[in-house]
């Protein structure tokens, strides 16, 4: 019984974390539109000086286009289980920071 029970509990915990949906807000504080790519969800285009409400699953990857060209996508972030619901993400600031990291690498 123990041989079956422990893997079942661990598996259910993993499924619960993976299936967790976190509502959040994407804020674009810049004067430019920001195109994003969220595989399996949508490809939003954040308008200048706007907020967009979205719910993403833990582990969901969000990509941006550093050169504003659809061919050159880069990972912006991966949604973590530690994120709190209703977090406001400053997408323009996160992109600036990510671009600096890409230049340094």
């Amino acid at each position: 019984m123990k041989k079956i029970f422990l893997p079942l509990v661990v598996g259910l915990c993993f499924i619960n974390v993976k299936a967790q949906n976190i509502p959040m807000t994407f804020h674009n504080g810049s004067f430019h539109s920001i195109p994003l790519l969220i595989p399996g969800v949508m490809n939003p285009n954040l308008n200048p000086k706007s907020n967009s409400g979205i719910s993403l699953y833990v582990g969901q990857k969000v990509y941006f286009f550093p050169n504003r060209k659809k061919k050159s996508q880069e990972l912006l972030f991966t949604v973590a289980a530690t994120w709190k619901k209703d977090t406001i993400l400053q997408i323009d600031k996160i992109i600036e920071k990510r671009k600096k990291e890409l230049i340094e690498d």
Side-chain angles (χ1 to χ4, degrees):
M1 181 75 164
K2 287 183 181 179
K3 289 182 180 180
I4 295 173
F5 184 71
L6 185 59
L8 180 62
V9 170
V10 171
L12 288 174
C13 289
F14 178 73
I15 290 170
N16 186 30
V17 168
K18 194 71 171 166
Q20 184 180 357
N21 202 4
I22 302 175
M24 60 189 77
T25 300
F26 285 3
H27 174 75
N28 177 6
S30 75
F31 290 104
H32 304 285
S33 292
I34 300 175
L36 298 173
L37 172 63
I38 307 173
V41 179
M42 64 178 173
N43 298 336
N45 191 34
L46 303 178
N47 291 324
K49 300 291 183 181
S50 69
N51 292 315
S52 295
I54 187 167
S55 289
L56 297 176
Y57 290 103
V58 171
Q60 178 68 57
K61 295 183 182 313
V62 176
Y63 297 90
F64 75 109
F65 305 98
N67 300 323
R68 298 196 183 267
K69 296 178 183 172
K70 298 285 184 180
K71 294 178 183 177
S72 62
Q73 73 185 28
E74 290 288 341
L75 181 65
L76 184 58
F77 59 81
T78 302
V79 178
T82 57
W83 290 14
K84 303 212 184 290
K85 73 177 210 171
D86 299 325
T87 296
I88 298 173
L89 298 174
Q90 307 288 335
I91 298 297
D92 55 317
K93 302 293 184 199
I94 296 171
I95 288 174
E96 283 178 28
K97 181 180 176 188
R98 187 71 181 99
K99 283 182 176 180
K100 287 178 184 174
E101 292 172 356
L102 289 171
I103 291 170
E104 291 173 3
D105 288 344

